[in-house]
Amino acid sequence: MLFLAKEVADILQINYSISAPDRAISKIRTDSRSLPIGDDELFVAIIGKNHDGHQFVEDLEEKGLNNFLISQAPKNPKQNTNYFIVEDTLKALQLLAEKYHEKFDLLTIGITGSNGKTVCKVWLKQILQNHFKTLASPKSYNSQVGVPLSLLQVNDQTEIGIFEAGISKKNEMHKHAQMMKAQVGIFTHLGDAHAKNFNSLSEKLMEKLKLFEHAETIIFPSDNDLVYARICELYPTKELISWGKKKRSDYKYRAQLEKGKCHIEINKGRSSLHFFIAFTDEASIKNAVSCIVCSLKLGLSRAQIQHGLENLQIVELRMEKRRGINNCEIILDAYNADINSLQIALDELAKHNKSKKKSLILSTFDENKENPLELIAKWHRINPLYKLLLVGKHEVPKSIQTISESFNTSSELLKKIPEITFEKEIVLIKGSRRFKLEKVAASLAEKSNQTLFEVNLNALENNLNIFRSKLAPKTKIMIMVKAFAYGNGGSEIGQFLSQKNIDYLAVAYVDEGVALRKSGVETPIMVLSTQPNQIEEAINYKLEPVIYSLRFLQQIKNQKTFMKKNIHIELNTGMNRLGINKEEIPSVIQELINSKLSVKSVFSHLVQSEIPKDTFGEIQISEFQQMCEALQTGLKKSFVKHICNSMGIINYPNAHFDMVRLGLGLYGLSREKALENVGVVKSYISQIRTVKKGESIGYGRKNKTKTDRKIAVIPIGYADGYSRKFSQGKGFFIIQNKHAPVVGNVCMDMTMCDVSEIDCKEGERIFVYKSAKHFYELSKNIDTIPYELISTISQRVPRKFTYE
């Protein structure tokens, strides 16, 4: 919970009466597009240059949202709805974030600079998260809206919060500083991004440095004379830690490329430390040094820092390197666009294979006074470009007109890509995010594996919000991420959900929980099936095992490493799988009294949750209540109770108890119309051939054709989890919204289908699994359930995660 409604009114000094002052508010949103979640959500109507959130208020009221922070009184106020009316909704949001952040005792790190903020933030979190409970603002949440939304994600488990702050004009940074009150400040780099709203680089720098008003320590690069001078002048009494190559630096560094890696030597006084990173471009090296210096300040050892550096990940759209078609190499740097980042990208391009031609795809730079093509022209004289493709409006110097071709939009360029020859080239794709140049990069990327499992995290979030809307504000949520999150991707889904105020995650086995912990997930994790010899490993990774039998309890209750640790108790109320029986309750109570174990929750399973008002389901719920009461009386302690799964949430609102377990419903495999399918499996047509009348198709010669048929080969088979039961027409692919039935037998790596009635071509994208309806139709054809289809998709099929 973030606030009670009356606390919001008090903070904002609102006299306007609210209908439900004791209503809990657990989430604040500024985006109206995904479905609201009702009682515990507050919508903030932000007014921007090109939008006004107030125009969505009535629609959101109709959908069930009933808390609004607005600056315009509602025309027809609804009953049981809280309207917080203020003069400026953005200022009100920032004030709420400031007061919320003040509740917690954590170390706050504030990062600013012209470039490198997001990379530095992400990498620093990846280094620190193995040693501290670390929270970082999502993506590039560094704006006047993004910073408060980031601060509102802090909870009482957070030890270190890392937040980036950006500005585009004067008098913005003080607001960030007031909200964050960062104890440690990091300045990354001074460049010309957003320079058009400032009279000089010095003026822009002074605005950025306001972030450090409350900081005790400031970490910054010393090689820029202006940065060094201004920080020393502005903050002479603070602890200033500089790094760079000049003698005045507190930490001097030098970098040397060695076998595709970078060796970074850092010297302070007479001591010398050595680090290695897998990145070789100048920007990445500097970002790494900044993270290393900060980590040293926080007390990490060289070995601990190096361990974190070895797991650094590429930040999306920033200097991503991919293999391209026709022996090309792709460098995608399409996150932001300014002269300085262009220079860095060009320097990286110059380092690459001299035997390959160099090409550039460049979008308009929206925020700069300088024409980027002037820099390109100068660079071209020393490093000749083979081709230059421009997106947007550009003033092209005469010296590069002959190699350039212009397009108004990325879509226009994408349509022309098939007609442009790319072969043995290094292609730098550089531009601002609004042009979505990653789509151009995708069209040029080598299709090393043409079968892909795409996971839509927006759909996942939407489904979570729908289920949340059916719960009371105080009802906790446990999400099942066992079996690789039902095939969708365990670590990635776990990391995403850990940012969504989830109370618990649940896995089937200890190794699944260990994988989540190693990926940085800190949310409490319940393990359904733990063996006695795994208890020590479970405790080491802060996993909480389920006690599913009296015998198991007796085996582990006195293990020293397990004392005073959280456990969960599973009761058998009719599933007759795992679980403690009713007659065993007295013995379990006695064993628990004699142990030092802490019962965190008690749960059971509904056998037929998909059937509303099922008689047996009601019997189960009643028996579960009786068994819980007996345990609670015997132990003289309370605990969390839960029995509902996804369909139980929908069909048994009387049995939500203290917590619910959300599983397959989260992934959209349900007949509930509002839920969105999360996972889609796509592939391509490898080859199309004509099979003559009387010829057979595939192994076994069981499918001799009665007429000439056009057959497409799809690169997916039973080794990818595409069931062999789909053979002989029981399965079908979707090609151009038409069914293409499987012919012959499904092979290990390939499947054939009939496309005689479909006008398709080789290389065309097709759907293996497209929608919940598709899953249900296919599962019915082979007498199984959709859950089996999705959870058995092989991990050799790459997962691609999308989130807007």
Side-chain angles (χ1 to χ4, degrees), residues 79-95:
Q79 291 184 346
N80 199 37
T81 298
N82 290 325
Y83 299 99
F84 305 93
I85 302 179
V86 297
E87 185 176 339
D88 187 320
T89 53
L90 177 57
K91 288 183 179 179
L93 172 63
Q94 292 170 341
L95 180 58

Side-chain angles (χ1 to χ4, degrees), residues 709-739:
R709 300 166 79 180
K710 185 168 67 170
I711 303 301
V713 180
I714 311 299
I716 189 171
Y718 55 78
D720 302 293
Y722 192 70
S723 177
R724 198 169 185 274
K725 293 180 181 179
F726 286 136
S727 301
Q728 308 297 330
K730 289 189 176 180
F732 62 90
F733 301 107
I734 295 180
I735 304 175
Q736 295 185 5
N737 291 321
K738 296 179 181 179
H739 288 196

Side-chain angles (χ1 to χ4, degrees), residues 42 45 127 130 134 179 238 245 279 282 326-328 335 359 379 388 476-477 528 571 580 582 770 776:
L42 173 66
I127 294 169
N130 292 321
T134 308
M179 286 185 284
K238 297 183 185 294
K245 295 183 178 180
F279 302 88
E282 184 181 358
N326 303 325
N327 200 25
C328 288
Y335 194 87
S359 297
W379 192 87
L388 174 62
K476 298 178 184 295
I477 297 179
L528 291 164
L571 303 178
I580 292 166
K582 188 174 183 178
K770 184 178 183 181
Y776 272 97

Side-chain angles (χ1 to χ4, degrees), residues 52-70:
D52 184 350
H54 292 86
Q55 69 187 58
F56 304 108
V57 170
E58 288 187 13
D59 181 52
L60 291 171
E61 286 175 330
E62 293 299 320
K63 291 179 178 179
L65 198 147
N66 50 25
N67 300 291
F68 295 91
L69 178 55
I70 51 181

